[in-house]
């Protein structure tokens, strides 16, 4: 399996400890810089209001199998929570698309640290939304 980053995050967060536990909990603005060879894939992206961004949290712990979510008392397996630490630290980020300028996307709600590799971007569509997910959508 080969994954190739399509771009990189430019963020004010320099360490994982500076980032919010969930990007949607912050109004912080960040940029996604798409590499030149993928710029054509942005055609018409300005028509989107929200994006799903897949990042590789390259600074995350990769041996973690269990963790206790913030505000919880019981630990859970990392596949049952949104911990950045996991065997394959792929982050699923839902962001607001604020603006576009060539290969640069300005977004709100991204919790990735500066220089995080971006693996893919998809438009958020109404089909993606599920009311009352379990166990809790804020973990």
């Amino acid at each position: 399996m080969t994954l190739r980053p399509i771009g990189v995050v430019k963020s004010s967060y320099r360490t994982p400890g500076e980032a919010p536990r969930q990007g949607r909990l912050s109004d912080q603005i960040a940029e996604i810089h798409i590499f030149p060879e993928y710029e054509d894939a942005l055609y018409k992206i300005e028509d989107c209001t929200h994006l799903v961004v897949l990042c590789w949290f390259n600074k995350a712990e990769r041996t973690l199998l269990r963790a206790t979510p913030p505000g919880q008392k019981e630990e859970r397996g990392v596949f049952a929570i949104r911990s950045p630490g996991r065997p394959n630290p792929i982050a699923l980020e839902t962001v607001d698309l604020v603006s576009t300028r060539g290969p640069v996307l300005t977004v709100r709600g991204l919790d990735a640290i500066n220089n995080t590799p971006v693996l893919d971007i998809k438009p958020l569509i109404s089909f993606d939304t599920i009311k009352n997910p379990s166990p809790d959508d804020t973990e």
Side-chain angles (χ1 to χ4, degrees):
M1 176 185 317
T2 302
L3 295 175
R4 293 181 187 89
I6 61 159
V8 66
V9 170
K10 295 299 176 185
S11 165
S12 64
Y13 307 128
R14 300 294 181 229
T15 66
E18 293 176 6
R21 65 183 178 87
Q22 292 292 325
R24 299 296 297 165
L25 299 176
S26 172
D27 285 334
Q28 186 71 33
I29 297 293
E31 293 180 342
I32 299 171
H33 290 243
I34 301 301
F35 297 146
E37 62 268 34
Y38 301 111
E39 188 173 351
D40 199 40
L42 295 173
Y43 181 67
K44 296 283 192 177
I45 200 163
E46 67 275 4
D47 295 343
C48 301
T49 60
H50 297 81
L51 302 172
V52 176
V53 181
L54 298 171
C55 294
W56 186 262
F57 276 7
N58 55 323
K59 304 282 186 189
E61 170 64 46
R62 298 211 42 201
T63 60
L64 194 65
L65 297 180
R66 290 186 182 195
T68 304
Q72 304 287 319
K73 293 181 180 167
E74 273 186 54
E75 71 177 4
R76 294 183 181 170
V78 296
F79 299 150
I81 61 176
R82 292 284 186 102
S83 171
R86 52 200 326 108
N88 289 308
I90 299 170
L92 177 72
E93 309 271 349
T94 302
V95 300
D96 304 325
L97 179 59
V98 175
S99 66
T100 63
R101 190 180 75 256
V104 177
L105 306 177
T106 301
V107 298
R108 181 184 304 109
L110 190 67
D111 61 2
I113 64 173
N114 195 50
N115 293 318
T116 296
V118 176
L119 299 176
D120 202 0
I121 298 171
K122 300 173 185 285
L124 182 73
I125 58 175
S126 61
F127 185 79
D128 294 333
T129 305
I130 296 173
K131 293 183 181 187
N132 302 318
S134 64
D136 183 348
D137 67 349
T138 60
E139 292 180 359

